[in-house]
Amino acid sequence: MTQTILDATLAAALQDGPTLKADGTSRRRLPEGATIYQRPIHVDDRGELQEIYSAGWPVDDIPVSHLYMTTLRPNIVKGWNLHKLHKDRYFLIIGTMQVVMYDPRPDSATFGEVFSVTLSERERFVLTVPEFAWHADDNCGASEAIFVNLPTVGFDAAAPDKYRLPIDSPLIPYRFPATARGY
């Protein structure tokens, strides 16, 4: 029997895995210590309102001591970054951004794993990136991404809690698209 193009292409294809659990919730996995806290968008005839952060939420019990906004141009990757002393808490305002995390912590239940979370203005939430997790922010959208960070420790200009690796580091088992530029 002659193999058709359809047969040949299907034989070479990989089927996508499930994206949702049976109850309809996300199968998304995160590194140990990372969290996602979803909040509703309230819409009325005047516009929209969405809370970014409240001390009573079950994100963590660390107060907000620093807050800043940053932008990320399309096809730009910021990273790889690691913080020893603080967690990042991201909330995307505009655009689409992928946060890729790599867990190098030997005592972590997710040691050696890579995780990717897409933040979008269509599904906003607070993403917590734990201490000692390498992470990179990739604007995978077509427009500038704007997001706020509520790190758990204020910025220390004399001794910044930021460690960097290049985005193509062989020490992290993840490759960004060839079109992405990083720093």
Side-chain angles (χ1 to χ4, degrees):
M1 175 180 220
T2 305
Q3 187 177 31
T4 68
I5 293 174
L6 175 61
D7 293 332
T9 55
L10 282 173
L14 298 175
Q15 182 178 5
D16 282 355
T19 57
L20 299 174
K21 296 177 187 174
D23 65 1
T25 59
S26 176
R27 297 179 65 89
R28 179 175 18 212
R29 219 166 151 251
L30 297 171
E32 182 176 20
T35 61
I36 289 178
Y37 191 61
Q38 194 90 34
R39 297 304 301 157
I41 298 173
H42 304 281
V43 180
D44 65 22
D45 59 331
R46 299 167 296 168
E48 298 179 356
L49 178 141
Q50 186 172 25
E51 298 169 295
I52 294 176
Y53 188 82
S54 180
W57 292 352
V59 174
D60 56 45
D61 59 357
I62 302 166
V64 173
S65 61
H66 190 75
L67 168 73
Y68 65 89
M69 180 202 78
T70 190
T71 67
L72 187 57
R73 293 190 175 98
N75 299 315
I76 297 293
V77 177
K78 286 184 181 178
W80 293 99
N81 302 300
L82 178 141
H83 310 293
K84 293 180 179 180
L85 305 175
H86 77 268
K87 298 176 184 179
D88 280 332
R89 295 179 286 204
Y90 288 168
F91 185 88
L92 185 97
I93 305 294
I94 294 174
T96 303
M97 181 175 87
Q98 182 181 44
V99 178
V100 181
M101 296 173 276
Y102 173 64
D103 189 350
R105 303 168 295 172
D107 295 334
S108 169
T110 55
F111 168 71
E113 294 185 47
V114 174
F115 304 86
S116 175
V117 177
T118 301
L119 291 84
S120 165
E121 59 195 57
R122 290 183 182 88
E123 182 189 12
R124 294 184 182 120
F125 49 82
V126 177
L127 171 66
T128 302
V129 179
E131 302 95 330
F132 291 98
W134 287 103
H135 56 287
D137 309 328
D138 176 11
N139 183 340
C140 54
S143 63
E144 189 167 50
I146 300 173
F147 62 103
V148 295
N149 189 5
L150 302 94
T152 56
V153 173
F155 180 70
D156 181 353
D161 180 30
K162 183 169 268 194
Y163 300 84
R164 297 178 190 263
L165 287 172
I167 66 166
D168 60 352
S169 173
L171 299 171
I172 297 178
Y174 184 85
R175 295 296 161 258
F176 291 95
T179 57
R181 296 176 306 156
Y183 59 96

